[in-house]
Amino acid sequence: MSVAGASPSRLIHAAAGNRAVSASKRPYLVRHGSALPSSAPPVLRQKGCRRSAVRVQAAATNEAKQLDPEKLFFQIFPPFFKPYFPAFGERSTIKTELVEGQIWGFEQQQQFFNLAVNIRCTIVKLQGGGLFVYAPVAPTKEFLAMVRELEGEHGKIKFIIEPTYGIEHKVFAGPFSRRFPDAKVFVPPGLWQWPLNLPSAFIGLLPTGGLLSNVKIPTEWDEELECRILTTRNVGAGPFIEATFFHKPSKTLLVTDVVLQIPADPPEIIETEALLETASDVKGQLAEDTPENRRIGWGRMSLLTAFFGPGNQRTGKGEEPSVVWSDGWQDSFKSLTDQKLVVSPVLRSLVFSKSPDETREWVDCVTKWNFERIIPAHESAPIEATPEDLKRAFHFVYPEGTFEGELFNPLEGDMGALNSLQANLGKVGLS
């Protein structure tokens, strides 16, 4: 998940065990010849563009050759997306049947320094044959083989949806779509880039199908999938944008970042080394590999991701670990995992609370759909949840007294870093 202009890097200790190769430590990689890879965006393969383009070909270095070719990924513009994405690296993929015979999830690990979270592509079988892809992940050989197998059973990919401005979802949509040239690509209107607001075509994202809309689009999916786009007012560098879908046959709501369910145990895709590093209280050492230490690492990761600077931690000094934890963080983590649905505290504080009218309008629209489950692009899925559950998760954009019973609010002690960041953004006119 990403938030415009907000960087948690001062609170996050340096990476260890990250197998990806940083673009800042390696020269740009070129093919043995002078041509760009065939998967490069068309705008870069035009005559005269080669000399000025950033040319990356992972297989050209010894480091890349040492990685598993089935799990290898690369992206063409590493300088624009540092430190979110290195030039290349490895990503495993896990396939899960989320709704029997209808919807599948494909998870990879997304890593930011030593913090890791799962990121999910969701693929829906269309009733008339063919597949609908929501939020593609890195098109590794392993992932593509899984997708081809699904095509063999249910028909070709017909539609690819890049649903959000979020870098982690957007950066691989172009490379994925070029593997399926007959599929139509759709994006929501108003997509923007950060830190440079480049045209989407420049990063290889070409909406060959057109722009998504809140009104019915005449496509093969319109009888079984409905779309609703949440666009907030500007927050930081630009608006929050997310296209969500309701799959009528399975009564499933597809979202990317707007709402989550945080599990008590780490997702299967998260690498053990990252968990044990975060669980360790000794600088430069990994914690012992036990189920409990993996849960500790996951809990601490989740809190850092949710709050940037949760209350029961501080930045280490000298020989201390980069982050020092005190008793009480367990209660903070449990307050998140006890919830059926959680709106990310980062998005709640910095985005949705700043655009309550736009957010409330989106909630009111999607809760008219009679969904029974939600599949987000991160954390647990599927989540058995109703429209009322979703509306209660967004209670903070409704007038006080709208809902009865207990409502979730983050512990006040965990909100210090976000409150400070919000105040600082306000001082420079970005809030």
Side-chain angles (χ1 to χ4, degrees), residues 11 46 65 85 89 95 110 121 162-163 180 204 239 267 279 317 330 332 348 371 376 420:
L11 301 170
Q46 295 172 2
K65 290 175 182 177
F85 295 99
K95 175 186 173 184
Q110 171 69 46
C121 167
E162 197 299 290
F180 303 93
K317 299 177 182 179
Q330 298 92 337
S332 295
R348 172 173 171 164
F371 58 84
S420 176

Side-chain angles (χ1 to χ4, degrees), residues 223-280:
E223 294 302 319
E224 52 190 303
L225 285 143
E226 291 187 37
C227 176
R228 190 71 196 182
I229 303 169
L230 170 57
T231 304
T232 69
R233 66 188 67 175
N234 279 9
V235 284
F240 176 93
I241 302 171
E242 180 169 322
T244 57
F245 282 84
F246 175 51
H247 182 236
K248 300 175 190 177
S250 67
K251 296 186 177 181
T252 300
L253 178 65
L254 306 181
V255 304
T256 48
D257 297 327
V258 288
V259 71
L260 308 163
Q261 182 185 80
I262 299 176
D265 292 308
E268 181 183 354
I269 196 67
I270 303 301
E271 292 182 1
T272 300
E273 192 168 4
L275 295 169
L276 299 181
E277 183 187 358
T278 309
S280 177

Side-chain angles (χ1 to χ4, degrees), residues 1 3 14 32 79 185-186 188 234 240 279 282 337 341 395:
M1 293 167 287
V3 178
H32 290 297
V185 180
F186 289 81
N234 279 9
F240 176 93
V282 180
T337 60
L341 294 175
H395 69 88

Side-chain angles (χ1 to χ4, degrees), residues 313-355:
Q313 63 82 47
R314 62 176 174 82
T315 303
K317 299 177 182 179
E319 295 302 313
E320 294 179 326
S322 297
V323 177
V324 178
W325 296 86
S326 58
D327 286 342
W329 70 263
Q330 298 92 337
D331 294 332
S332 295
F333 180 52
K334 190 173 186 302
S335 74
L336 296 176
T337 60
D338 280 349
Q339 310 307 313
K340 178 181 287 188
L341 294 175
V342 172
V343 177
S344 161
V346 173
L347 294 179
R348 172 173 171 164
S349 175
L350 302 181
V351 178
F352 301 140
S353 292
K354 301 299 180 184
S355 295

Side-chain angles (χ1 to χ4, degrees), residues 12 35 88 107 130 180-181 187 198 272 274 306 308 380 414 421:
I12 302 173
F88 60 89
E107 292 183 45
F180 303 93
V187 303
L198 304 168
T272 300
F308 291 175
S380 296
D414 291 323
L421 178 58

